[in-house]
Amino acid sequence: MKPQAKPAAEAKPLAEDALHPLLLTQADLGSGYVHVQEDSSSGKFDDVSVQGCPSLEQLGQSGEVKMFAAKAETSFTYDRDATLGEELHSDRPSVLSSKLRKLFGAYTSCPTYTMTAGTTPIEVKVTKSATPDLGDEQFAYTSTMELPSGAQVLKTMAVRKGNVAVMLVGAPALVDRHMKTAVGKLPATG
């Protein structure tokens, strides 16, 4: 009888400074995109709460601000009113997989919920979305928020490739158009 082969060791997370060169750039996206500088310390989500979706409420209460070992992010506007945000996360593949499943599972567990930003209640409708056949795992949903200025539709899609996951959030057409490019910038997995 042959000895059993040991399972391959899981890839370690990349450091944050190794993620930055993998982010999309204006050159990757083409004309019409403007890079947006964001102040990450502004606490822009401090006064946002969720009602009517227990799994999302629980996710918010668990305070998983730092879900993964490393994170890098960037965002762009297109044609002045459309946005595209990108987050890269790195961790061991099993951790990325289980936490992305939990995150996307929570967001797609309730077809509707209410999000309160400050004192303004916003009705949100969520539907699961199709994903392209990229990377090792894919997750996507589309949310429609009923804002005082009208409905805003955002698509959130994540693709995990080994120990890195790319997440795009923004106008559905922009997310669909640029996901393949974003995944193409990730390192090859061995």
Side-chain angles (χ1 to χ4, degrees):
M1 213 166 107
K2 284 196 311 193
Q4 291 282 329
K6 284 189 201 165
E10 266 201 300
K12 290 187 171 34
L14 296 178
E16 185 179 328
D17 59 358
L19 291 177
H20 282 283
L22 306 175
L23 288 167
L24 290 169
T25 65
Q26 286 172 286
D28 296 322
L29 300 173
S31 63
Y33 290 86
V34 177
H35 186 252
V36 178
Q37 293 291 341
E38 286 191 19
D39 178 11
S40 58
S41 64
S42 65
K44 60 184 172 185
F45 298 116
D46 286 353
D47 64 345
V48 174
S49 61
V50 170
Q51 299 86 37
C53 186
S55 55
L56 270 183
E57 291 172 40
Q58 188 179 4
L59 194 66
Q61 289 165 355
S62 67
E64 289 195 68
V65 174
K66 188 166 169 59
M67 282 185 75
F68 304 107
K71 174 182 173 181
E73 60 187 316
T74 188
S75 58
F76 301 88
T77 57
Y78 178 72
D79 202 21
R80 288 196 303 282
D81 58 351
T83 61
L84 179 67
E86 179 186 27
E87 292 181 4
L88 291 177
H89 299 281
S90 187
D91 213 317
R92 294 190 325 276
S94 61
V95 173
L96 278 175
S97 180
S98 67
K99 288 188 176 181
L100 285 170
R101 284 178 194 282
K102 180 179 175 185
L103 185 68
F104 278 78
Y107 272 97
T108 56
S109 66
C110 303
T112 60
Y113 63 90
T114 303
M115 182 172 76
T116 305
T119 57
T120 309
I122 300 165
E123 294 300 315
V124 182
K125 293 185 181 82
V126 178
T127 55
K128 283 187 180 179
S129 303
T131 57
D133 188 16
L134 295 169
D136 300 317
E137 288 182 286
Q138 315 81 26
F139 308 88
Y141 65 88
T142 303
S143 51
T144 305
M145 293 173 279
E146 296 298 335
L147 302 170
S149 57
Q152 181 183 14
V153 179
L154 289 177
K155 187 170 193 173
T156 303
M157 186 185 301
V159 173
R160 181 185 68 80
K161 184 176 171 186
N163 62 346
V164 180
V166 58
M167 189 180 304
L168 295 183
V169 180
L174 301 184
V175 170
D176 291 341
R177 184 181 313 153
H178 296 296
M179 182 52 90
K180 187 173 182 181
T181 304
V183 172
K185 294 188 76 165
L186 301 184
T189 55

